[in-house]
Amino acid sequence: MILVVITGHFENPLVPIPSLLQHEHKDWDVMIAIGFNAAISVRVSNELGAGNARLAKFSVGVVSITSVAIGVVAMAVVLATRDIFPYLFTNSVPVAEETTKLGVLLSFTVLLNSLQPVLSGVAIGAGWQSLVAYINIGCYHIVGLPAGILLGFVFDFGVEVML
């Protein structure tokens, strides 16, 4: 929601805000990854607690490969439907065109977002909860938002950097 508020400050927010909101379907893929986050967190903590580091490492490999495979499928779906999908939610041609332009970028973020929660779950399962929290806060609030605002407004990249 922070991104929507920031995007509202562009010169003509009537096109970028709806196109940005249409990309919320990327969260469908993230829901699977968040499930993997919880599962691998418990699995790693149980295996490490039992002294089975090899089984914990194997579990991390299996869930990482599975999550990336699902991410690749979701990426392909986004790429294949980027011209069709916007028209399910809008009749506005400018909004649909902007959403289509963002489709390629969205597909790569879907792929990356399929693995990030899994790796966070591994770190949490290993007992590094505070480190994960600091990394998330640092990456999003200290680096990501200021970089997005700088690139979006100062360097005039627009909504592409807000995705």
Side-chain angles (χ1 to χ4, degrees):
M1 294 316 292
I2 293 172
L3 297 180
V4 174
V5 172
I6 292 170
T7 305
H9 293 295
F10 283 121
E11 280 184 34
N12 181 13
L14 297 177
V15 172
I17 288 179
S19 65
L20 188 66
L21 289 175
Q22 284 190 25
H23 287 295
E24 292 303 315
H25 68 279
K26 72 181 178 188
D27 291 341
W28 300 343
D29 176 51
V30 173
M31 290 300 126
I32 296 169
I34 289 173
F36 285 156
N37 170 296
I40 195 61
S41 175
V42 171
R43 181 69 179 201
V44 165
S45 64
N46 286 345
E47 293 300 345
L48 291 178
N52 298 327
R54 277 186 68 207
L55 287 176
K57 184 178 177 181
F58 177 74
S59 299
V60 169
V62 169
V63 77
S64 296
I65 290 169
T66 305
S67 183
V68 169
I70 291 170
V72 167
V73 170
M75 178 183 179
V77 168
V78 169
L79 285 173
T81 62
R82 72 178 184 265
D83 295 327
I84 302 164
F85 193 78
Y87 291 104
L88 296 174
F89 298 97
T90 186
N91 293 328
S92 171
V93 174
V95 171
E97 287 174 353
E98 184 71 21
T99 305
T100 300
K101 283 192 324 191
L102 295 173
V104 175
L105 180 60
L106 174 69
S107 68
F108 287 107
T109 61
V110 163
L111 178 62
L112 294 175
N113 284 336
S114 68
L115 187 58
Q116 186 274 335
V118 170
L119 297 178
S120 290
V122 171
I124 290 168
W128 303 333
Q129 295 89 337
S130 61
L131 180 63
V132 171
Y134 292 132
I135 288 171
N136 284 340
I137 290 169
C139 289
Y140 186 73
H141 294 286
I142 297 172
V143 176
L145 280 177
I149 292 168
L150 183 71
L151 291 171
F153 290 101
V154 176
F155 294 105
D156 203 30
F157 278 96
V159 74
E160 286 88 2
V161 297
M162 296 297 173
L163 189 60

